[in-house]
Amino acid sequence: MIKVLFLIHDLGQGGAEKVLVNLVNNMDRSKFDISVTVLFGGGVNEQFLASDIHFHAVFPKEIPGNSKLMKLLSPEQLHRLCIKRHYDIEVSYLEGPSARVISGCKDPDTKLVSWIHVEQHTIDALSSSFRSPKEARICYNRFDQTICVSEFVKQDFCGILNFNNPCTVLYNTVESNIIREKSSIPLEVTLAGENVFKLIAVGTLKESKGYIRLLSIVYQLRKEGYPVHLYILGIGPQKEELEKILSTKEMKDYVTLLGYDTNPYRYVKNCDLFVCASYSEGFSTAATEALIVGTPVCTVEVSGMKEMLGEHDEYGIVTENSENALFQGIKRLLDDPALLAHYQEKAAERGAFFCTEQTVNDVENMFEMILGKIL
């Protein structure tokens, strides 16, 4: 049996955290003994780990200023602090701090895997959790295999580091059957009426998700007479800023912050359009889930979206990454109900592509390959 450790910063509400739980819960227990360690405990997704996953939190909750504190220790010192057992494979499941920790492993019998989820754009962004760009290059070059969640992320990562080590793309694991089942559970809140066009966005309330420009878009649509209502699912550091904008511009009648919900799928299914206004992504879990429940997607171009929706908008609309372009994309669907109906059909068609079994098998095969054994 192969002993595998997945290390991640925490199991909070983010997409990478969610898909890690999906992956480990569906891996073959006859082949893999699975452990998940988080640097900081208390994340909302911890509750969804299967009972036979070995779970450990290095610290019970997040420590303020932890990024700076961790830089006081070398990768080797951090590894000794965080990892107490021998594993056949150690996986850093998110770029940054977890990669720095896993790169400190000195056991020659352990294979190291780095998972890159988000486009970085610059060496400064990529190395922000390291002492320097030089240390980031050294650490990432220690891994036996690097996994990127999209071709876009792979090109970005490899280009920044001039990276020539083994690097491949594996798509995120989503529990498609469970998503469809949960999407049919009745809502406990009443959404806007049939004559209102319901937009929904899902994700942590933070700057990179582009919520402020999405509010601006909705405000402009209402000024032009479009009966739209925006729902935002998520919690995060930008909540107060968003609430202030809603109060200042008197938008509370047509923008609703829903907070966090363990079943976002039923909200997405009951809305007319899923919108992504992000400045950066990896391979959007929320957009994938929208397709699975058959809700059309309109998104700015960020990592993975053209892979998901097609180079020529076969399965959804991908605009330039700007406020005006996204505004025009949404407006196009508002003005053309037949086009919206077309993308609703194409969403369901594309959603069938994201098969839980295939994505899990791809990961298991990769683990067996780097160990040189087939179980």
Side-chain angles (χ1 to χ4, degrees):
M1 186 171 291
I2 297 173
K3 293 184 177 181
V4 183
L5 169 71
F6 292 87
L7 178 70
I8 193 168
H9 185 274
D10 61 72
L11 281 178
Q13 62 164 334
E17 294 81 354
K18 194 173 184 181
V19 295
L20 173 57
V21 172
N22 294 340
L23 172 60
V24 297
N25 282 353
N26 286 280
M27 288 178 66
D28 187 344
R29 300 303 197 276
S30 69
K31 295 182 178 181
F32 298 94
D33 179 26
I34 306 162
S35 297
V36 172
T37 292
V38 296
L39 297 176
F40 305 102
V44 294
N45 273 301
E46 290 176 12
Q47 62 187 303
F48 301 118
L49 281 172
S51 59
D52 59 349
I53 302 293
H54 310 297
F55 176 76
H56 172 65
V58 179
F59 300 100
K61 61 181 181 179
E62 188 160 6
I63 300 171
N66 64 80
S67 181
K68 291 182 179 179
L69 291 172
M70 289 177 69
K71 290 178 186 178
L72 297 176
L73 301 177
S74 69
E76 292 77 14
Q77 290 170 322
L78 285 169
H79 191 273
R80 288 196 295 271
L81 173 68
C82 300
I83 313 299
K84 303 298 186 183
R85 295 174 53 198
H86 165 78
Y87 298 92
D88 299 304
I89 300 172
E90 293 185 10
V91 181
S92 161
Y93 200 71
L94 202 59
E95 56 279 344
S98 59
R100 194 163 179 264
V101 174
I102 295 299
S103 72
C105 177
K106 292 301 183 182
D107 189 336
D109 296 323
T110 299
K111 298 294 185 180
L112 306 184
V113 177
S114 172
W115 228 285
I116 309 297
H117 286 264
V118 179
E119 55 192 296
Q120 307 290 316
H121 300 303
T122 67
I123 187 62
D124 289 339
L126 185 146
S127 60
S128 61
S129 297
F130 299 83
R131 288 175 174 173
S132 66
K134 179 180 178 180
E135 187 193 58
R137 293 178 191 276
I138 292 170
C139 288
Y140 280 119
N141 275 301
R142 289 176 179 169
F143 287 90
D144 298 284
Q145 179 70 57
T146 296
I147 305 299
C148 296
V149 298
S150 73
E151 287 291 344
F152 193 107
V153 167
K154 178 183 175 182
Q155 293 171 14
D156 176 77
F157 178 79
C158 293
I160 292 171
L161 290 180
N162 192 22
F163 193 72
N164 295 310
N165 286 11
C167 186
T168 192
V169 173
L170 292 178
Y171 292 128
N172 288 334
T173 297
V174 289
E175 295 184 310
S176 47
N177 290 337
I178 293 175
I179 288 169
R180 292 187 186 96
E181 289 174 9
K182 287 187 174 182
S183 72
S184 298
I185 296 174
L187 289 170
E188 296 170 358
V189 299
T190 302
L191 300 184
E194 290 185 6
N195 295 326
V196 177
F197 192 89
K198 294 175 280 295
L199 307 169
I200 189 160
V202 181
T204 306
L205 305 185
K206 58 183 180 180
E207 185 177 356
S208 66
K209 295 297 183 181
Y211 288 127
I212 291 178
R213 65 176 173 177
L214 184 53
L215 293 186
S216 177
I217 288 169
V218 172
Y219 180 74
Q220 186 61 36
L221 287 169
R222 293 285 296 203
K223 280 185 64 177
E224 294 190 14
Y226 290 97
V228 297
H229 192 117
L230 172 64
Y231 295 92
I232 299 177
L233 267 168
I235 54 176
Q238 209 175 37
K239 180 183 177 183
E240 290 185 8
E241 185 178 2
L242 296 175
E243 288 177 335
K244 184 177 180 180
I245 293 171
L246 296 182
S247 297
T248 302
K249 291 193 172 184
E250 299 181 350
M251 299 172 67
K252 289 187 175 180
D253 288 343
Y254 55 89
V255 177
T256 303
L257 301 181
L258 292 167
Y260 177 78
D261 196 292
T262 57
N263 182 3
Y265 324 115
R266 53 183 176 168
Y267 292 92
V268 177
K269 183 179 181 180
N270 284 282
C271 286
D272 300 297
L273 184 66
F274 175 90
V275 180
C276 174
S278 296
Y279 292 99
S280 65
E281 285 284 344
F283 193 86
S284 173
T285 303
T288 307
E289 293 166 348
L291 295 175
I292 290 170
V293 301
T295 299
V297 173
C298 184
T299 174
V300 293
E301 185 175 1
V302 284
S303 169
M305 289 304 190
K306 283 191 175 292
E307 290 170 62
M308 188 185 302
L309 300 175
E311 285 292 331
H312 304 289
D313 294 353
E314 290 91 341
Y315 300 102
I317 291 181
V318 182
T319 75
E320 293 179 3
N321 198 329
S322 72
E323 181 177 319
N324 182 61
L326 183 59
F327 170 78
Q328 295 297 335
I330 296 170
K331 189 174 176 181
R332 181 182 166 200
L333 290 168
L334 285 165
D335 288 335
D336 191 345
L339 184 63
L340 180 69
H342 166 76
Y343 278 122
Q344 188 169 19
E345 289 182 8
K346 299 305 285 186
E349 180 183 326
R350 186 59 168 164
F353 172 82
F354 299 101
C355 169
T356 306
E357 292 78 10
Q358 184 60 55
T359 55
V360 173
N361 286 340
D362 289 343
V363 173
E364 293 178 343
N365 292 339
M366 180 269 296
F367 286 156
E368 293 177 346
M369 177 197 72
I370 65 172
L371 286 175
K373 60 175 72 174
I374 303 296
L375 298 184

